[in-house]
Amino acid sequence: MARTFVAAWPPAEALDLLCGLPRPAEPGVRWVQRHALHVTLRFLGDVMPTSVTRRLLRSDLPRATAQVGPRTAVLGANVVMAPVAGLDALASAVARATAGIGQPPPRRPFVGHVTLARTRDAATARRLGGAPVTGSFEVRELAVVTSETHPDGARYRTSAVVPLG
């Protein structure tokens, strides 16, 4: 089994925006590489990606416009992220479509975001948050992604792409 999640990959213009933010080299900070920047709509855990793909393909999933910003922020204690609004309905539709597969969705509300960095301590994360960032992108497809954890960060592989709308 693979650690599977459903994600929206930002297009090149949005990646340019996110990678153009300051990324100071500091001890204890691991910046997410450009090719790994994404918005997770649902994490399912150790499940076969084909079962997720089948469910998503049978569902009516809406297109959405992702609104990035207005500033980077801290999620939890150690994650620097760019907030992403506008994907709540899509995330709910994905949760309904994949109900009963993998880990249940969290009980907390969906928090759309792109993880930019992970830090060793909360003070560093707070110091790195707050950079202005504003943009948007259309989400016209979702990816069913598997991940493997490595010492230098997670490695992602898109198993399937599901068109929306």
Side-chain angles (χ1 to χ4, degrees):
M1 298 278 194
R3 290 170 44 93
T4 302
F5 61 94
V6 178
W9 294 111
E13 301 80 25
L15 293 173
D16 291 345
L17 172 73
L18 295 168
C19 291
L21 293 167
R23 290 179 166 235
E26 291 194 30
V29 177
R30 185 174 61 206
W31 293 98
V32 177
Q33 296 178 13
R34 179 185 176 99
H35 68 272
L37 295 171
H38 66 278
V39 180
T40 299
L41 289 128
R42 174 141 194 253
F43 179 79
L44 294 124
D46 292 327
V47 301
M48 295 299 297
T50 53
S51 63
V52 177
T53 302
R54 277 194 301 270
R55 289 278 193 93
L56 293 175
L57 286 170
R58 290 193 315 239
S59 300
D60 184 23
L61 301 171
R63 290 184 177 188
T65 300
Q67 300 288 334
V68 181
R71 298 186 157 288
T72 61
V74 177
L75 182 64
N78 301 53
V79 172
V80 180
M81 59 89 161
V84 178
L87 301 182
D88 297 52
L90 179 56
S92 292
V94 168
R96 284 190 304 276
T98 57
I101 300 176
Q103 296 179 4
R107 291 179 188 253
R108 61 178 160 59
F110 172 74
V111 178
H113 69 280
V114 176
T115 297
L116 302 172
R118 290 180 174 80
T119 67
R120 284 195 194 133
D121 63 83
T124 301
R126 285 191 304 272
R127 190 173 68 254
L128 294 173
V133 59
T134 305
S136 65
F137 61 93
E138 296 300 314
V139 180
R140 296 184 174 137
E141 62 185 24
L142 294 179
V144 178
V145 182
T146 57
S147 69
E148 294 179 12
T149 305
H150 292 271
D152 59 339
R155 294 186 189 157
Y156 303 129
R157 184 178 69 82
T158 298
S159 296
V161 174
V162 177
L164 301 177

